[in-house]
Amino acid sequence: SAVISQKPSRDICQRGTSLTIQCQVDSQVTMMFWYRQQPGQSLTLIATANQGSEATYESGFVIDKFPISRPNLTFSTLTVSNMSPEDSSIYLCSVEARSEETQYFGPGTRLLVL
Amino acid sequence: GQSLEQPSEVTAVEGAIVQINCTYQTSGFYGLSWYQQHDGGAPTFLSYNALDGLEETGRFSSFLSRSDSYGYLLLQELQMKDSASYFCAVVGAGSYQLTFGKGTKLSVIP
């Protein structure tokens, strides 16, 4: 399985500011995914990030609010822009796991917006 | 679109067996995955079924019936550390995208 790290692990931010979350994986992967998980809730896919192409966003998520970069096959960033308290959540990145036709998840970034 | 149904909470006794069911409605289906998530932790992959039948991994087994759009996760010899949330997730055809159910919170009691 892949080893995935995220930075920061947690942060407290003021409304109106932006936070960039980094995701690093220890092997080259084609597909990386970004999810949001609000407290006590399930995981919701924000976008799929493939290296060399624009990220594909799910319904309800837009690039202006959640810009994503994917500069190479082992790294991606998600920015949460112009934050409001409603953005308080856990943000998770994941990568494809071709052998199991599924995904492995990073440890998550716990964001609190005041 | 995709929708998945699983019980919100289950309580079971240490040492017992528990089954967590998942039914799904989907426009594209490649397989069913199960994840475990402890409070404050990240989802951990448990199992994946693409074909009908039972997959066994230690104390955990997962079953799929594609014709019934139904699967379950079976946990045997329950331990206190199994207390966690369990999510079923549909793997979309050709994309590795996952759509998650709302999760089942399992409480194991002495």
Side-chain angles (χ1 to χ4, degrees):
Chain A
S1 63
V3 177
I4 306 166
S5 60
Q6 285 185 233
K7 291 181 182 179
S9 59
R10 60 179 68 240
D11 208 342
I12 301 173
C13 301
Q14 296 297 319
R15 70 174 66 208
T17 63
S18 297
L19 176 72
T20 295
I21 302 167
Q22 300 178 8
C23 179
Q24 179 80 51
V25 61
D26 69 343
S27 57
Q28 294 185 337
V29 292
T30 302
M31 302 177 77
M32 297 180 78
F33 306 88
W34 287 97
Y35 289 83
R36 183 172 71 183
Q37 186 178 29
Q38 295 180 311
Q41 303 297 312
S42 186
L43 289 83
T44 301
L45 180 64
I46 297 171
T48 302
N50 293 341
Q51 195 269 334
S53 63
E54 294 287 323
T56 303
Y57 288 82
E58 297 300 304
S59 176
F61 298 96
V62 295
I63 187 171
D64 289 347
K65 175 68 175 177
F66 297 102
I68 288 171
S69 76
R70 182 78 201 275
N72 57 53
L73 291 174
T74 62
F75 186 79
S76 179
T77 67
L78 169 76
T79 299
V80 186
S81 303
N82 188 24
M83 288 184 286
S84 67
E86 290 71 34
D87 294 320
S88 298
S89 191
I90 300 171
Y91 292 86
L92 295 142
C93 71
S94 70
V95 303
E96 62 182 287
R98 289 185 177 268
S99 59
E100 289 96 3
E101 303 283 356
T102 186
Q103 296 175 20
Y104 293 120
F105 283 82
T109 295
R110 284 149 187 80
L111 171 62
L112 177 63
V113 183
L114 302 177
Chain B
Q2 326 264 38
S3 69
L4 297 91
E5 294 287 334
Q6 54 181 129
S8 58
E9 294 182 11
V10 173
T11 300
V13 177
E14 191 176 14
I17 299 172
V18 71
Q19 179 174 311
I20 300 173
N21 297 320
C22 175
T23 58
Y24 58 88
Q25 290 184 318
T26 176
S27 57
F29 180 85
Y30 205 82
L32 189 70
S33 290
W34 288 92
Y35 286 81
Q36 178 192 62
Q37 187 178 33
H38 287 98
D39 284 347
T44 302
F45 171 74
L46 291 177
S47 68
Y48 171 72
N49 294 71
L51 303 175
D52 286 357
L54 192 67
E55 295 281 344
E56 298 181 65
T57 309
R59 295 187 298 114
F60 293 1
S61 303
S62 58
F63 172 83
L64 176 66
S65 168
R66 296 174 71 109
S67 61
D68 295 324
S69 298
Y70 163 75
Y72 66 73
L73 180 69
L74 190 73
L75 297 82
Q76 303 182 72
E77 301 173 14
L78 280 173
Q79 303 175 8
M80 299 298 290
K81 67 178 182 180
D82 296 329
S83 293
S85 291
Y86 292 84
F87 294 90
C88 59
V90 164
V91 181
S95 68
Y96 299 100
Q97 283 194 355
L98 292 174
T99 301
F100 283 82
K102 295 186 184 303
T104 299
K105 186 173 177 63
L106 171 64
S107 298
V108 180
I109 58 176

